[in-house]
Amino acid sequence: MDILTEVLDAWKSAVDAHDPDRVAASFTEDAIFQGLHPYSVGRDSVAAYYDSQPLGMTADYRILETRRLAEDVVLGYSSVDFGFTDRPTLSVHLSVIVRRAGDAWLIAHYQVSRL
């Protein structure tokens, strides 16, 4: 399994389980996070963002591009469909930068855009 898939699988699993603390654990302590609201920095803000999402929200992603920028840095560009129980699916594009932190790979930058 490649690095980006491993990181996004962990993120998806936590999003699907509506486990904001586990979602936040996929991010670096100083991660820049841009969902569909004004940006924030850090794991606490990531947890708060995902805690505010409705129960039953799921994330299905497809990696479109990936680049190894350095030995410990990977850039990824994906399409993501956020599914809901009470409204239509929201399709977005997600750019992430993941970096190695010890033995783990974590999201250091996360930016969603609607196109």
Side-chain angles (χ1 to χ4, degrees):
M1 180 181 310
D2 69 37
I3 294 164
L4 191 57
T5 299
E6 184 176 322
V7 171
L8 291 180
D9 280 354
W11 166 82
K12 174 193 172 12
S13 173
V15 169
D16 291 356
H18 193 75
D19 188 339
D21 291 330
R22 192 160 49 106
V23 174
S26 294
F27 289 77
T28 62
E29 292 287 348
D30 63 347
I32 298 170
F33 181 84
Q34 175 69 62
L36 293 176
H37 303 292
Y39 90 96
S40 59
V41 175
R43 284 184 179 159
D44 289 343
S45 63
V46 172
Y49 180 89
Y50 280 101
D51 190 42
S52 73
Q53 299 306 313
L55 289 174
M57 183 181 85
T58 59
D60 290 312
Y61 74 90
R62 184 170 59 94
I63 296 171
L64 302 173
E65 296 289 338
T66 184
R67 302 286 187 274
R68 188 81 176 245
L69 301 179
E71 184 62 30
D72 60 348
V73 180
V74 175
L75 168 70
Y77 183 64
S78 303
S79 64
V80 181
D81 291 329
F82 287 103
F84 301 92
T85 60
D86 62 345
R87 60 184 137 172
T89 297
L90 174 64
S91 297
V92 299
H93 285 88
L94 172 64
S95 293
V96 294
I97 296 174
V98 299
R99 75 171 193 240
R100 187 177 17 230
D103 292 336
W105 286 87
L106 301 172
I107 301 168
H109 183 268
Y110 175 107
Q111 183 169 358
V112 166
S113 64
R114 291 188 197 183
L115 293 178

